[in-house]
Amino acid sequence: MTIKAFIFDLDGVLTDTAEYHYRAWKRLADEEGLPFTREDNEHLRGVARRDSLRLILKDRVVPEGKFQAMMERKNGYYLEFIKEITPRDLLPGAKELLEELRAAGLKSALGSASKNAGEVLDRLGIRSLLDAVSDGYSVERQKPAPDLFLHAAQQLGLPASECVVVEDAAAGIEAAIAGGFRSVGLGPRERVGKAEAIFPSLAGVRGRDLLGALEANQEK
Ligand code: G6P
Ligand code: MG
C-alpha cells in the first residue's frame, strides 16, 4: 500500500464550523419561514453554498437576485461566527495528526468546498502545516464530484490512489470514491458508511491508526 498524502476536509473534520454553517442557514431559514432542522442539515454537510440553498428551498422557486441575496445573507451570518475562531477551535487530534504526518514525511492538503476556508485556516493557525490548499474557489464542479480532491492531488503532484481523503460528509466520501482516492469517514455510519475506514472523530487518532484501518479494509 503506497500512501503518500492525506487530503482533509475542513468543516466538521479539522474544526467544528459545520455547526456554524448550520446555525447560519437556520437563521436564514427561520427568517424566510422555511422548515429546516438539524436532520435536514446532515444532508448539507460538504455541499457548496448554492447547492445548499437549493436543498433548503426544496420546491420553492426564487428569482436569481433574491437567491443571491439569500446566499449573501447566510454568508454574513457565517462570517460573524468565524470572526471568533482561534487555534483553540481545532477539533481534538487534528493538529497532532497534521504534525505527526509532516514529521513522518507524508504530505497534507486541504480539500474544502468553502470559500471561507482560507480565513478559517488562518484563524486556526494551521496553514503552515498544509502542503496544498484547495477550496471553494478552486473548481467549478463541487462535491460529490471528485474535482476538488483531484485539484488538491494535482497540487501535491500525486495520483489519487496515493492520497487518503478524510471527510465527515456523505458528499465528500462519494467525491473521494468517484476520484479513485482512499477514504476515511468521520462520524456516524449512516453518514459516512461508504468510506473504507470509519472513526468517530480524529480525537486520539494517529497516522498508524488510519493506515492500519485502510490496510485491514484492503485485505478484506
Ligand atoms: C463546506 C461545508 C458546507 C458549506 C460549503 C460552502 O463544504 O461543509 O456546509 O456549505 O463548504 O461553504 P461557504 O463558506 O463557501 O459558504
Ligand atoms: Mg465537512
Side-chain angles (χ1 to χ4, degrees), residues 117-136:
E119 178 167 348
V120 173
L121 279 187
D122 288 336
R123 290 189 182 279
L124 291 171
I126 52 168
R127 203 184 266 268
S128 62
L129 287 170
L130 295 161
D131 300 289
V133 172
S134 296
D135 66 12

Side-chain angles (χ1 to χ4, degrees), residues 9 11-12 17-18 21-22 25 41 44-50 52 74-75 78 112-117 136 143 168-169:
D9 173 49
D11 304 309
T17 35
H21 281 294
Y22 164 68
W25 283 126
N41 186 63
L44 264 52
R45 276 180 191 260
V47 174
R49 200 180 306 170
R50 177 171 283 276
S52 296
K74 181 269 178 177
N75 197 49
Y78 182 70
S112 165
S114 177
K115 292 186 166 154
N116 297 301
K143 302 172 192 177
D168 70 317

Side-chain angles (χ1 to χ4, degrees), residues 19-153:
E19 175 65 20
Y20 296 156
H21 281 294
Y22 164 68
R23 288 191 204 165
W25 283 126
K26 179 65 181 157
R27 183 165 165 196
L28 179 89
D30 286 351
E31 287 166 355
E32 294 291 327
L34 295 161
F36 182 60
T37 63
R38 265 187 192 278
E39 203 189 324
D40 296 332
N41 186 63
E42 288 295 279
H43 304 286
L44 264 52
R45 276 180 191 260
V47 174
R49 200 180 306 170
R50 177 171 283 276
D51 297 333
S52 296
L53 182 54
R54 269 200 215 105
L55 288 173
I56 292 170
L57 286 167
K58 299 203 179 82
D59 300 335
R60 195 159 123 180
V61 181
V62 165
E64 177 57 22
K66 166 131 203 230
F67 195 99
Q68 286 277 355
M70 287 166 93
M71 287 196 295
E72 269 163 43
R73 190 148 35 108
K74 181 269 178 177
N75 197 49
Y77 301 151
Y78 182 70
L79 289 172
E80 281 297 307
F81 285 123
I82 65 172
K83 267 201 322 219
E84 310 293 326
I85 290 181
T86 72
R88 281 195 303 274
D89 292 300
L90 277 161
L91 280 170
K95 190 168 188 198
E96 293 81 351
L97 181 61
L98 288 171
E99 284 171 344
E100 185 202 340
L101 295 174
R102 164 113 350 140
L106 291 160
K107 301 261 181 236
S108 294
L110 191 84
S112 165
S114 177
K115 292 186 166 154
N116 297 301
E119 178 167 348
V120 173
L121 279 187
D122 288 336
R123 290 189 182 279
L124 291 171
I126 52 168
R127 203 184 266 268
S128 62
L129 287 170
L130 295 161
D131 300 289
V133 172
S134 296
D135 66 12
Y137 294 103
S138 301
V139 296
E140 286 284 318
R141 285 198 318 159
Q142 303 294 338
K143 302 172 192 177
D147 303 30
L148 185 72
F149 295 137
L150 292 169
H151 185 274

